[in-house]
Amino acid sequence: MFSDTKPLDYCYCQNDSCKKAEKCLRYLCYKELDEKSDELSIRVVNPKKYEKDTDGCRMFNSCEAVTLAWGIKNLFSDIPFDAAKKIKSQILSEFGRTKYYRFFREELPVTPESRQKIRVIFMKNGIETEPVYSRFTQELFWH
């Protein structure tokens, strides 16, 4: 089910006593492993580090698809030049040059959290319109 899109070095979780296990991608991928799997070795969350409060597990990875944005080539097309220059500088400062250009070339998706940061930068600079992205996809977000 998940093995088609899962990264090769994905970290699994074996904690079947976790309240969120049946909604956690790490646990569900672990359960999916069987003798037919191509993987000879796997990475797992250290069992001695399982969170006591499973509601706040920092390794939790939701198995629900998220909306990812792709491409920021048109991000500044509908805003004044001076504001665009200032906003681009702040976005570069927030994400760094490498990540910015990976967003630009659509090598890296703009996550909901990153989109929110960009939106806040727009708003701080008096731009009320939503930032424009090239396209959106619904995908599992592996992290």
Side-chain angles (χ1 to χ4, degrees), residues 56-133:
C57 179
R58 63 182 169 193
M59 293 302 289
F60 178 75
N61 191 173
S62 176
C63 62
E64 294 179 22
V66 295
T67 302
L68 299 174
W70 296 86
I72 59 172
K73 289 180 181 176
N74 300 316
L75 200 59
F76 308 113
S77 59
D78 294 334
I79 59 177
F81 179 74
D82 288 340
K85 243 172 50 173
K86 197 172 176 185
I87 290 170
K88 181 179 178 181
S89 173
Q90 292 171 7
I91 291 172
L92 281 164
S93 177
E94 175 70 36
F95 296 105
R97 187 170 291 288
T98 301
K99 195 168 188 178
Y100 174 87
Y101 284 105
R102 290 192 71 205
F103 287 158
F104 188 85
R105 292 186 302 264
E106 297 187 31
E107 296 171 356
L108 189 67
V110 186
T111 63
E113 295 81 14
S114 295
R115 285 199 319 268
Q116 180 59 28
K117 288 178 183 179
I118 292 171
R119 190 167 186 268
V120 166
I121 292 170
F122 269 56
M123 290 171 56
K124 283 182 180 177
N125 286 279
I127 305 299
E128 297 294 324
T129 58
E130 287 293 317
V132 178
Y133 300 95

